[in-house]
Amino acid sequence: MRVPSQAELQERKRVQIGIETTSNAQSTDFPGHWPGENHEWNLDYIKENLNVKFHTSTPFDSEFSLIGIDTSVANAFRRILLAEIPTLAIETVFIYQNTSVMQDEVLAHRLGLIPLQASRRGLNWMKWYQKPTEEDEGSGAPSDYNCAILRLNVKCEWQEGGLQRAARGETDPDKLYVNHSIYARDLQWQAIGKQAEMFADGPIQAVNPDILIMKLRPGQEIELLMHAMKGIGQDHAKFSPVATASYRLLPTIDIMKPIIGADAKKFARCFPKGVIRLDSVTSEEASELDCKENEVKAVVANPMRDTVSRECLRHAEFKDKVKLGRVRDHFIFRIESTGQWESEDLFLESVKLLKVKCQRMRRGLDAMMN
C-alpha cells in the first residue's frame, strides 16, 4: 500500500481559491479514500483527529469549529438542526371574534410563527399529535399529553377622558387607548391535565414577549383559542428550533513573499478588520527583507474572520505574493436558536439524533443479513 507524503496530505485538505475559479473542490468516489492506499475504519484515528472548539456561546447564538470530519457528516448535523429537533408551535387557531383590520387567515399565520418556549421536561413528555382520519373519526382528540391550549382575549377601549383629549389634538395612542397593541406576552397558557406538573420548571410562553401581533382601535376586539402542538421543522418551518444553522470552511491566507510598507497597508485593507495585522520589521529581518527597520509588514492574524472576497487577487502587486484557500475538513458552524433550546444544546441534540439514525440503519442491515 502506498503511503502519501505529508505535503500531499496537506494539499488534499486545501480548496484552492483563484481570482475567478476554485480548484481541488471535488471529492473521491468514497469520501476520504484514495486508490492504492489503506483507509480502513480506525476508531483511534477518528478520536485523534476529530475536534470541537467553541468560539462563542450564548443561549441564542453560538459559533464553533468542527474539525476532522467529512462534509457529508457536517451537512447531516446541519439538516438535523433545521428539520428534526422538536419544538412547540401553534398549529390550530379557533377565532371567535375578530373585528380588527387584519384578516383571520393572516392573524392565524402570524400566531403560528411566534416562537414558543417551555420546560424541556414537559416537551420530552409530550407526544406527537396525529390528526384523526375519516376511518377513526371520534378518536384522536387533543389531550394534555399532545396539545397545549393558549388563549387571547383583548378589547381596545378609550382611556378615561381620552375622547376629550383627542378633540384637543392629542395623538399619543398610549394616552388615548387601552389595549391598543397586542403583544406576544398577551398569549395566556391554560394548563390542562398533568401539564401544570410537567411544565412546572418553565411554563409555555412566547420566547420574546415584545413581539407585536397587531394594533387595535376603540371598539375592536380579538377573542380566540389556540392549540400548540409538538412538531419538527420537516413538517413546517415554524417548528424549526433555529433561526438558521449554517457552516463555512476555514479560510487560509498564505503570504508567499513579504509584503512591506505601503503595500502592506493596502493589503490589510483588502480584508475585513482583524484578518491582517501590521507588524514592525526588526533589525534582523531588515537585512533579509532589504527594507528599513521599523517599517510595517503584513502578517496573517485571524483568517477565521475572512469572507474570501478575493479582493487582494484583483491587485497586480499581490498576484504572486498571496495564496488563498479553504480547509476541507474544518467547518465553522453558526447556530442561532429561536429560544426553545439553547444554541449549544441544539448541537448536542443533533449528535444524539444522528446516533439514533445510525443505530436504526445498523439494525436494518443486521435484519437483512439474517
Side-chain angles (χ1 to χ4, degrees), residues 154-295:
V154 181
K155 184 176 182 180
C156 181
E157 297 176 336
W158 287 97
Q159 288 269 17
E160 185 177 351
L163 187 58
Q164 290 75 14
R165 284 200 297 273
R168 294 194 296 270
E170 181 62 67
T171 58
D172 186 354
D174 290 330
K175 296 180 180 179
L176 293 174
Y177 319 124
V178 178
N179 298 327
H180 63 88
S181 294
I182 301 178
Y183 293 95
R185 69 173 75 94
D186 296 320
L187 302 180
Q188 301 298 320
W189 170 51
Q190 179 182 328
I192 56 175
K194 292 184 63 178
Q195 288 181 357
E197 173 188 349
M198 303 308 296
F199 289 96
D201 297 338
I204 300 174
Q205 60 186 357
V207 173
N208 187 344
D210 296 326
I211 295 176
L212 179 64
I213 299 175
M214 69 160 57
K215 293 187 176 183
L216 301 179
R217 286 300 177 260
Q220 296 179 350
E221 181 180 1
I222 296 292
E223 183 183 357
L224 50 84
L225 180 144
M226 296 153 280
H227 285 178
M229 309 292 187
K230 181 179 177 180
I232 56 177
Q234 185 175 342
D235 298 330
H236 194 284
K238 66 185 177 183
F239 291 110
S240 182
V242 295
T244 185
S246 61
Y247 63 78
R248 58 190 177 96
L249 297 178
L250 175 69
T252 61
I253 305 168
D254 298 323
I255 298 178
M256 314 303 293
K257 298 179 182 179
I259 303 175
I260 302 169
D263 283 351
K265 296 178 181 179
K266 182 178 179 180
F267 184 72
R269 291 196 297 269
C270 293
F271 297 89
K273 188 177 181 180
V275 175
I276 301 297
R277 185 180 69 246
L278 298 178
D279 288 352
S280 297
V281 176
T282 63
S283 57
E284 294 80 8
E285 294 173 329
S287 57
E288 296 178 10
L289 302 177
D290 192 22
C291 65
K292 298 178 181 179
E293 187 178 350
N294 294 328
E295 201 168 7

Side-chain angles (χ1 to χ4, degrees), residues 286-347:
S287 57
E288 296 178 10
L289 302 177
D290 192 22
C291 65
K292 298 178 181 179
E293 187 178 350
N294 294 328
E295 201 168 7
V296 295
K297 67 174 181 178
V299 178
V300 179
N302 188 359
M304 187 175 292
R305 292 187 178 184
D306 186 26
T307 57
V308 195
S309 65
R310 314 185 195 193
E311 177 62 26
C312 63
L313 299 180
R314 297 185 176 96
H315 301 277
E317 59 266 39
F318 305 137
K319 186 175 181 182
D320 300 323
K321 294 184 178 181
V322 62
K323 191 175 181 182
L324 303 180
R326 288 180 181 268
V327 183
R328 297 172 66 114
D329 64 346
H330 189 135
F331 302 90
I332 304 172
F333 267 82
R334 179 78 178 272
I335 299 176
E336 298 179 24
S337 171
T338 57
Q340 172 64 74
W341 298 75
E342 291 195 3
S343 55
E344 61 181 21
D345 292 338
L346 282 170
F347 175 66

Side-chain angles (χ1 to χ4, degrees), residues 83 88 107 118 137 181 184 280 344 370:
L88 286 175
L107 174 58
E137 186 176 359
S181 294
S280 297
E344 61 181 21
N370 296 331

